[in-house]
Amino acid sequence: MAKFEDRENRRRTSVVGSIVDGAPIASGSGRGRPKENREIKKRVSLSVMPSLYEDIQRIAYVQRRSISDVVGDLMEQFREGHEEELAEYRKIKNNEKKG
């Protein structure tokens, strides 16, 4: 029975064991690239017409950029053009928190 207990203890301390048991993997192992304090991209799913997507894909190809970069730039431009709406949203949300 001691062999089984030893094997089970080794499994629990392994990466596979932590996944199986649902425990978080220790991040302080010193392996890999250190975490940076920067914003990471969020993965989203969009539905667009196939013809529009193909044209955007072609434009991105000519510009030697990814579709993600092209769409991200367009979204940033949209945000910059709608600062008033963002300010209004923040104002509404702050009033909701107070009252």
Side-chain angles (χ1 to χ4, degrees):
M1 196 58 123
K3 289 182 181 180
F4 175 75
E5 291 172 356
D6 290 341
R7 194 169 60 229
E8 186 64 17
N9 286 334
R10 282 194 309 269
R11 183 194 65 82
R12 282 196 179 117
T13 58
S14 71
V15 173
V16 173
S18 64
I19 293 170
V20 170
D21 293 339
I25 299 172
S27 61
S29 65
R31 297 178 66 184
R33 192 178 286 185
K35 299 289 182 199
E36 295 180 15
N37 291 334
R38 62 183 176 93
E39 189 174 21
I40 57 172
K41 290 184 177 183
K42 181 176 182 168
R43 186 176 299 259
V44 297
S45 176
L46 301 173
S47 297
V48 296
M49 299 302 254
S51 59
L52 174 62
Y53 183 80
E54 289 170 3
D55 285 344
I56 299 299
Q57 199 172 24
R58 291 175 182 135
I59 293 167
Y61 178 83
V62 169
Q63 293 180 352
R64 298 185 188 276
R65 299 169 64 195
S66 68
I67 295 173
S68 178
D69 286 342
V70 172
V71 172
D73 285 349
L74 291 171
M75 292 175 90
E76 286 178 8
Q77 290 173 10
F78 185 82
R79 178 177 60 185
E80 290 169 3
H82 294 85
E83 283 295 327
E84 291 178 16
E85 286 91 343
L86 284 173
E88 181 68 19
Y89 176 83
R90 291 182 195 109
K91 182 179 173 184
I92 292 168
K93 286 298 182 179
N94 284 336
N95 286 337
E96 287 178 2
K97 288 180 183 177
K98 292 178 183 177

